[in-house]
Amino acid sequence: MSKQLEKDSSYNQFDTDHDGVVTDAELARSERMLMIENLDKLQDQQRVMAWAALGAPPALIAFMASSLVALEKVNALAGLTTTYCAAMGTIVVAFMAAQAYVRGKAEG
């Protein structure tokens, strides 16, 4: 099945061979390219999230070890800081594993 395009149609982007007709194959190819682009954007966001989540705990520890924080507060927050650091790592690992599982199910 194919459709003749009007001039300045929003579907012109799917006409890869520029013959003025959009075929099912061209639509399928365009859909696949869109999926690849969206997956790439998702992976970029995952990398940002992972770097932020894994970079925050060392920054927090460095701040807590600085002279800006009183020793009494450091002792009081030590357990919370440890839990926060472990939780950030766990969240990143769990999210990445879930995404890999979902992607594996979709592909296979």
Side-chain angles (χ1 to χ4, degrees):
M1 182 177 149
S2 62
K3 178 186 183 289
Q4 185 72 32
L5 295 173
E6 297 174 1
K7 186 176 178 168
D8 298 329
S9 171
S10 61
Y11 293 98
N12 280 332
Q13 63 182 333
F14 302 120
D15 184 17
T16 55
D17 59 6
H18 307 291
D19 63 354
V21 175
V22 176
T23 63
D24 288 342
E26 288 174 324
L27 283 175
R29 189 175 321 117
S30 296
E31 181 180 303
R32 177 75 176 136
M33 290 304 298
L34 185 60
M35 284 177 42
I36 290 170
E37 288 173 13
N38 287 340
L39 182 60
D40 187 47
K41 290 177 186 177
L42 173 69
Q43 290 171 343
D44 288 342
Q45 290 301 314
Q46 288 174 341
R47 279 188 284 278
V48 168
M49 181 192 74
W51 281 111
L54 294 176
L60 177 64
I61 292 168
F63 175 72
M64 297 277 290
S66 73
S67 61
L68 299 172
V69 180
L71 186 57
E72 303 83 40
K73 290 182 181 177
V74 171
N75 290 334
L77 295 173
L80 182 61
T81 303
T82 303
T83 303
Y84 174 78
C85 294
M88 284 295 105
T90 303
I91 288 170
V92 169
V93 168
F95 182 78
M96 297 296 179
Q99 289 299 314
Y101 177 76
V102 169
R103 228 176 292 125
K105 283 289 201 181
E107 292 173 0

